[in-house]
Amino acid sequence: MTEQHILHVNDIELSVHFSGPEDGKPVWLLHGFPECWYSWRHQIDALAAAGYRVCAPEMRGYGRTSAPQPVEAYDVITLCGDIQAAMDHLGHTRVAMIGHDWGALVAWHMALLEPERVQVVSGMSVPFGGRPKRPAIDMMREHFQDRFHYILYFQQPGRAEAELESDIPRTMRLVMHGLSESGSGNTLFGNKPADARWLDDRVDPGVPPQWCSQDAFNVYVETFERSGFRGPLNWYRNFGRNWERTADLAGRMIEQPALFLIGDGDPVGEMEAYTIKKMPSLIPRVEQHVFEDCGHWIQGEKPEQVNRYLLEFLKRTFT
């Protein structure tokens, strides 16, 4: 069981779900796109049972958390600011920071920004590549001038929102299946025109993937029916601003003990193969593990494995 609280921090209302003993060591679980706090349901129970104080926020733009309209309200420093302010509010001085997908990006940056308070860090599915020499969005535009790429599609406010919000259960089924190990084809980019829509060429299977129960699926759908997709998509519209606002982090390494988990069938792994290979040069104490027969939704597809690795890692490093 979790308790949900609204924290008034960083000029927003941040919805956070808590579980475990109040005097337990704090473990933050940061979700990605298009997901919600409930994507950590299996980890929340396991971590709480092990005596940790679990904090699972609905990230900025999602669910019951505020969703500011301006695009620039979603750069990575601001997103980290939400968690930093929540840690201040809760009196957290030593935490474990764990993230998946976009939540992993926030977790990696939290480790850089808070080297004293973030004792250990774990990222799932999205590796840490450091600050690029120029904004990643510029490189994407060069490489995908005439081909579809989901991130480029997300750049124009309103267009992707209209598609994804037209039938939210269908959107969630297609994205979940499309990035699962059992899915058919990669939904991130493909052999279609640059001006195509994201999911038009996908066939709706009509049911969630096997790893996501109907009850869990309903929580995901409710999240986006409440908040829509504008806030979550705005995360993707800040690559240039992220690059500008992280200038002082250029060349910085993550010194804390770190754990990186990814599925062997995760399309992000193919897209970020070079980054994964160079990650030990940026995180000297990183442990990396690849899960077999697993797609992008690692904590849902392989919950027992994720829990085993997380608990063992925390037992060794989060003292």
Side-chain angles (χ1 to χ4, degrees):
M1 292 292 293
T2 66
E3 296 180 357
Q4 186 238 358
H5 296 276
I6 300 293
L7 309 184
H8 297 270
V9 295
N10 205 25
D11 297 324
I12 66 166
E13 293 185 344
L14 182 71
S15 168
V16 184
H17 292 257
F18 295 95
S19 188
E22 291 190 15
D23 60 351
K25 297 175 184 176
V27 176
W28 283 83
L29 302 176
L30 313 181
H31 70 80
F33 173 88
E35 293 190 278
C36 62
W37 73 274
Y38 201 63
S39 65
W40 296 107
R41 58 196 176 278
H42 305 293
Q43 289 69 49
I44 290 171
D45 291 344
L47 289 165
Y52 294 103
R53 180 61 168 172
V54 183
C55 313
E58 297 186 87
M59 302 297 279
R60 177 179 288 238
Y62 288 81
R64 292 172 175 83
T65 289
S66 301
Q69 283 295 308
V71 169
E72 59 270 19
Y74 295 84
D75 67 80
V76 70
I77 299 300
T78 299
L79 299 169
C80 286
D82 295 342
I83 308 304
Q84 290 171 294
M87 289 166 58
D88 293 342
H89 178 86
L90 297 166
H92 288 177
T93 57
R94 295 167 60 87
V95 308
M97 194 65 59
I98 299 167
H100 172 254
D101 188 75
W102 268 106
L105 184 80
V106 176
W108 296 131
H109 281 81
M110 284 292 298
L112 289 175
L113 295 167
E114 293 278 0
E116 299 300 324
R117 288 202 288 180
V118 176
Q119 295 288 297
V120 299
V121 61
S122 176
M124 301 182 195
S125 300
V126 171
F128 176 70
R131 183 176 181 269
K133 294 182 179 179
R134 58 197 182 104
I137 195 68
D138 294 347
M139 293 180 272
M140 290 179 209
R141 288 189 173 113
E142 289 177 6
H143 286 100
F144 289 89
Q145 294 181 40
D146 303 315
R147 288 179 295 151
F148 179 86
H149 191 291
Y150 75 109
I151 290 178
L152 298 179
Y153 172 66
F154 290 168
Q155 293 308 299
Q156 180 183 337
R159 187 170 180 230
E161 287 92 328
E163 178 187 6
L164 302 186
E165 292 172 5
S166 64
D167 187 337
I168 290 174
R170 174 184 179 272
T171 293
M172 297 308 301
R173 286 191 295 268
L174 291 175
V175 175
M176 284 181 171
H177 279 281
L179 298 180
S180 295
E181 167 62 20
S182 59
S184 57
N186 184 339
T187 61
L188 300 186
F189 43 86
N191 187 22
K192 56 185 179 181
D195 61 353
R197 299 207 310 171
W198 191 22
L199 303 173
D200 274 351
D201 57 341
R202 313 300 296 182
V203 177
D204 184 359
V207 294
Q210 188 174 8
W211 54 264
C212 183
S213 70
Q214 186 62 51
D215 286 344
F217 183 78
N218 292 343
V219 177
Y220 285 73
V221 171
E222 179 188 353
T223 294
F224 292 100
E225 287 180 342
R226 172 183 292 271
S227 59
F229 282 89
R230 178 180 172 83
L233 288 167
N234 279 344
W235 289 49
Y236 287 91
R237 294 166 181 153
N238 274 276
F239 281 95
R241 185 172 169 83
N242 289 348
W243 189 80
E244 293 170 0
R245 295 208 68 195
T246 56
D248 59 335
L249 300 179
R252 288 266 300 276
M253 293 195 299
I254 293 174
E255 304 286 354
Q256 297 96 316
L259 177 68
F260 177 65
L261 305 178
I262 193 169
D264 63 353
D266 189 338
V268 176
E270 178 183 350
M271 189 167 62
E272 298 285 356
Y274 174 75
T275 301
I276 293 171
K277 184 178 293 187
K278 79 167 187 176
M279 198 159 45
S281 68
L282 301 169
I283 314 178
R285 301 169 71 184
V286 70
E287 305 169 25
Q288 301 188 57
H289 300 279
V290 180
F291 290 6
E292 294 183 358
D293 302 318
C294 180
H296 184 65
W297 317 111
I298 186 168
Q299 70 269 46
E301 294 186 56
K302 299 290 182 180
E304 295 84 5
Q305 279 184 264
V306 169
N307 292 349
R308 186 166 64 250
Y309 277 97
L310 274 182
L311 289 169
E312 193 276 332
F313 173 70
L314 292 174
K315 184 178 180 179
R316 279 190 293 109
T317 62
F318 190 31
T319 57

